[in-house]
Amino acid sequence: MMKFGSKNSTNTPIKCTIRLLDDSQLLDSEFQINEKGSSLISRICEQLDLIEKDYFGLRYVDSKRQRHWLEPSKSIFKQIRDMEADNILFSFRVKFYPPNPFRLKEDITRYQIYLQLKRDLLHGRLYCNTSEAALLGAYILQAELGDFNPEEHIDNYVSELKILLKQTLQLEEKMMDIHKNELKGKTAAEMETIFLKKACVLDTYGVDPHAVKDQRGNQLYLGINHTGILTFQGSKKMNHFSWSQVQKINFEGKMFIIHIILNEDQRIKKKQTIGFKCPRGSSCRHVWKCAVEQMLFFTFPSSSDVPNVVSGGGFFSWGTKFKYSGRVEREILEDMTITRESPTVTRVGSLRRKSSSEPPTPSNLVVNQVGFNSLSRSSTNTSEEYNTSMDSSNQIDNSSVLEPLIEDQEIVTSKNFTTTVTDSPPLIQSISNQLSGQKHLETTAIRNSGSSLSFLRQTLLPLIFALFMMVLIVVIVLESDFDIIATIRKAPEIAAFKKNYYEPIKDLLLRRFIRSKIF
């Protein structure tokens, strides 16, 4: 088994698997060790015949089970270097949900948005009430099964199909009733259009929820989309900070921090800082990157105006630097170079059955178990299930409950078992207990190595550098002949420090140094 960094891996193409928006579709691809993420993303979009590729990205799960978007401007190898070279899995996903899908120029792009929203509905991220869930489910039935046929669609024909996260009998009956009586004669393309029109106006359209806690310790979910940053508690939307209100975004450790400006009236503007605690520092960094990218993509007039962003730094840490890569939405919408005839959309039309909800995976595919200062505006994982209690006026069925971090389920296979990995701690613990001894030891060694390097880079090296700079400043102040510094040296405190500490230490070092030279 070849590891990254081995001599044989330098010039050898690295194979990877791309899982598409329909889990029944997998692409085999490869990349060079020095190749950047943008090259692989472009190659996948080319295979899918997508020109409006800026809305899409590749997502992966690292050895610590933290999800990431593959950064276009960075080397693929540097981003996934702790994974085994022959077991790399990326998921092709919509990264930036267009505010209005009907402003897209090609139907084939809209179809990919439809597939993503169908996944979001299945995994509970496209949050909606019972009536809306039944309506969207019925649209999918008509689009993929066609008109109701009493000879084919017998009894509860929806019960074996996976459309919603938690399908109740009541919801299934409602979907079948709409499919039978209200949608006859509608084509797949027409139903996808109606589905998109309904889905894109929901509050959770384009939201990938992140588990956080507020200052009182209440469990919340943070969502980020084209409108801004939203928070949900239970089944209620608590806050919506629009991008026009957000002044800057940063993070410190596990704290994700939003700086907003509220207009209480036309004359008075109130500044407010709001913090949310994430489960881990890595998940906080991921939330920050997602928020920064969404803000830049949807608010800046051009990519040339986008600044580099740094956050999370302190006296003893380097901080995280983020460089945006690619076009922003306004540039995409104003692009008039797409003149080709719209390609034919090949529809998959494969509703998953409840008995086979796990995505198919190659037999040899194994996911390795190895182990802000601020963004200014331009001038213009531990997840918990949502609490479903609601006001009676706006009751939502459990079938539409939002459950984050479910989509990117990675298949882990060994000789005797196959299971699904999510960011859920109990499931992770179960998988870890079943791994073979050799894999477990290899995982622990690499993880410990990564932790040691992380400690060295983030704590020890900055401390040494800080001490060196302090010593250098002291020497400059006490030894230089500049007039300004000479004035500082005359201060009683500085003179006392020089006489009592600096000169004795200096003499001691000189004697030691001279003596070692003599002998």
Side-chain angles (χ1 to χ4, degrees):
M1 185 177 293
M2 185 179 69
K3 289 280 190 178
F4 282 138
S6 66
K7 293 181 180 179
N8 295 330
S9 68
T10 305
N11 299 316
T12 305
I14 302 166
K15 296 185 181 299
C16 63
T17 301
I18 313 295
R19 192 170 66 215
L20 303 182
L21 285 164
D22 187 282
D23 283 330
S24 63
Q25 293 183 305
L26 295 169
L27 290 179
D28 292 326
S29 188
E30 60 182 30
F31 59 90
Q32 298 293 330
I33 197 168
N34 295 321
E35 192 171 349
K36 291 187 177 181
S38 58
S39 178
L40 181 59
I41 295 171
S42 296
R43 194 155 58 249
I44 300 306
C45 288
E46 184 178 345
Q47 288 184 260
L48 296 175
D49 207 8
L50 292 170
I51 290 181
E52 298 170 287
K53 61 184 180 181
D54 304 84
Y55 294 98
F56 303 94
L58 294 176
R59 190 147 59 186
Y60 66 96
V61 180
D62 68 14
S63 61
K64 296 180 180 178
R65 303 174 187 89
Q66 174 61 50
R67 294 186 306 167
H68 301 275
W69 287 104
L70 186 68
E71 293 191 34
S73 61
K74 291 186 178 180
S75 163
I76 302 173
F77 162 71
K78 290 182 178 179
Q79 298 181 65
I80 60 168
R81 62 193 311 163
D82 62 345
M83 299 173 65
E84 291 186 2
D86 55 351
N87 297 309
I88 301 168
L89 176 65
F90 294 107
S91 295
F92 178 78
R93 299 290 179 258
V94 175
K95 187 176 184 179
F96 303 107
Y97 290 70
N100 182 359
F102 301 98
R103 294 190 70 185
L104 297 171
K105 295 179 174 62
E106 297 195 325
D107 290 336
I108 195 169
T109 313
R110 268 186 292 275
Y111 179 65
Q112 294 294 328
I113 304 296
Y114 163 76
L115 290 179
Q116 177 68 72
L117 290 171
K118 192 174 75 167
R119 287 185 62 88
D120 292 345
L121 186 66
L122 172 62
H123 293 291
R125 287 183 301 279
L126 189 61
Y127 180 75
C128 52
N129 60 39
T130 303
S131 299
E132 292 168 332
L135 199 58
L136 292 172
Y139 293 161
I140 294 174
L141 287 175
Q142 180 66 23
E144 305 203 9
L145 300 182
D147 290 342
F148 175 82
N149 186 338
E151 296 181 358
E152 295 181 8
H153 305 137
I154 305 171
D155 299 328
N156 187 356
Y157 58 94
V158 182
S159 61
E160 295 183 355
L161 304 177
K162 290 284 288 182
I163 299 176
L164 304 174
L165 178 64
K166 297 178 182 177
Q167 292 178 195
T168 62
L169 178 60
Q170 181 183 3
L171 265 173
E172 291 172 348
E173 291 175 347
K174 182 67 175 175
M175 283 190 285
M176 290 187 292
D177 181 63
I178 298 172
H179 179 216
K180 178 180 179 180
N181 300 314
E182 300 180 23
L183 304 177
K184 186 175 181 179
K186 299 288 186 182
T187 65
E190 289 174 327
M191 294 315 307
E192 289 161 12
T193 298
I194 297 172
F195 181 95
L196 288 174
K197 286 181 178 179
K198 182 70 176 177
C200 71
V201 297
L202 296 175
D203 286 335
T204 50
Y205 171 72
V207 166
D208 186 11
H210 306 273
V212 297
K213 291 184 179 180
D214 62 13
Q215 67 272 21
R216 297 179 181 177
N218 297 320
Q219 181 69 52
L220 302 175
Y221 286 91
L222 197 71
I224 306 159
N225 64 9
H226 66 277
T227 65
I229 301 174
L230 305 92
T231 60
F232 298 87
Q233 184 176 36
S235 56
K236 294 182 180 180
K237 182 177 75 172
M238 303 299 293
N239 294 291
H240 178 203
F241 309 112
S242 66
W243 291 129
S244 60
Q245 294 176 316
V246 178
Q247 184 185 28
K248 56 186 178 181
I249 307 167
N250 68 300
F251 78 94
E252 296 177 5
K254 298 181 181 180
M255 291 298 297
F256 174 68
I257 303 167
I258 310 170
H259 304 262
I260 62 173
I261 297 179
L262 301 175
N263 295 323
E264 295 186 346
D265 55 44
Q266 294 182 349
R267 295 183 179 180
I268 302 175
K269 292 185 178 181
K270 182 180 178 182
K271 292 185 179 181
Q272 189 173 354
T273 302
I274 303 171
F276 300 95
K277 187 176 182 180
C278 299
R280 302 178 301 275
S282 58
S283 59
C284 188
R285 191 184 308 111
H286 176 65
V287 172
W288 173 74
K289 282 187 176 181
C290 290
V292 168
E293 281 193 286
Q294 295 284 328
M295 184 178 182
L296 297 177
F297 182 82
F298 289 111
T299 64
F300 274 75
S302 69
S303 54
S304 60
D305 297 327
V306 175
N308 291 338
V309 187
V310 179
S311 186
F315 190 75
F316 295 112
S317 62
W318 300 116
T320 298
K321 184 177 181 180
F322 176 77
K323 183 178 181 180
Y324 182 82
S325 176
R327 298 187 296 177
V328 297
E329 190 201 24
R330 185 176 299 183
E331 292 174 320
I332 301 168
L333 296 176
E334 293 174 353
D335 183 5
M336 304 304 293
T337 60
I338 300 178
T339 57
R340 70 172 182 175
E341 184 178 349
S342 184
T344 303
V345 177
T346 303
R347 290 176 167 82
V348 180
S350 59
L351 283 174
R352 283 190 280 172
R353 296 185 177 275
K354 292 181 180 178
S355 59
S356 59
S357 60
E358 288 186 359
T361 307
S363 59
N364 64 341
L365 182 61
V366 180
V367 175
N368 185 27
Q369 288 298 305
V370 179
F372 302 88
N373 284 340
S374 61
L375 166 68
S376 299
R377 286 188 52 81
S378 64
S379 58
T380 39
N381 258 290
T382 301
S383 64
E384 297 179 9
E385 207 171 281
Y386 261 94
N387 180 0
T388 56
S389 61
M390 297 186 61
D391 298 334
S392 58
S393 60
N394 192 30
Q395 188 171 0
I396 293 180
D397 192 89
N398 283 345
S399 63
S400 57
V401 168
L402 197 69
E403 287 195 359
L405 308 184
I406 292 180
E407 175 190 10
D408 283 315
Q409 297 178 340
E410 307 298 342
I411 299 301
V412 176
T413 60
S414 71
K415 293 181 179 179
N416 300 320
F417 77 101
T418 301
T419 187
T420 304
V421 177
T422 68
D423 282 350
S424 171
L427 182 56
I428 291 172
Q429 185 63 40
S430 174
I431 294 172
S432 298
N433 291 337
Q434 297 181 65
L435 290 173
S436 63
Q438 183 178 358
K439 286 279 185 183
H440 182 69
L441 292 175
E442 183 178 302
T443 295
T444 305
I446 295 179
R447 185 177 295 162
N448 290 341
S449 175
S451 300
S452 301
L453 291 174
S454 176
F455 172 79
L456 181 66
R457 184 179 68 254
Q458 296 181 10
T459 304
L460 190 57
L461 291 179
L463 181 61
I464 294 173
F465 178 76
L467 291 174
F468 172 77
M469 292 302 298
M470 290 174 63
V471 172
L472 183 62
I473 291 171
V474 169
V475 172
I476 291 174
V477 170
L478 298 181
E479 296 291 344
S480 63
D481 296 329
F482 295 110
D483 294 337
I484 297 177
I485 297 179
T487 304
I488 298 175
R489 231 179 4 247
K490 293 179 182 179
E493 295 85 356
I494 301 297
F497 173 80
K498 182 177 181 181
K499 180 180 179 181
N500 296 328
Y501 299 100
Y502 179 75
E503 289 184 349
I505 294 174
K506 176 183 174 182
D507 292 340
L508 177 63
L509 292 175
L510 287 175
R511 286 198 303 271
R512 289 283 181 90
F513 178 75
I514 294 172
R515 184 177 180 182
S516 63
K517 285 288 185 180
I518 294 173
F519 294 99

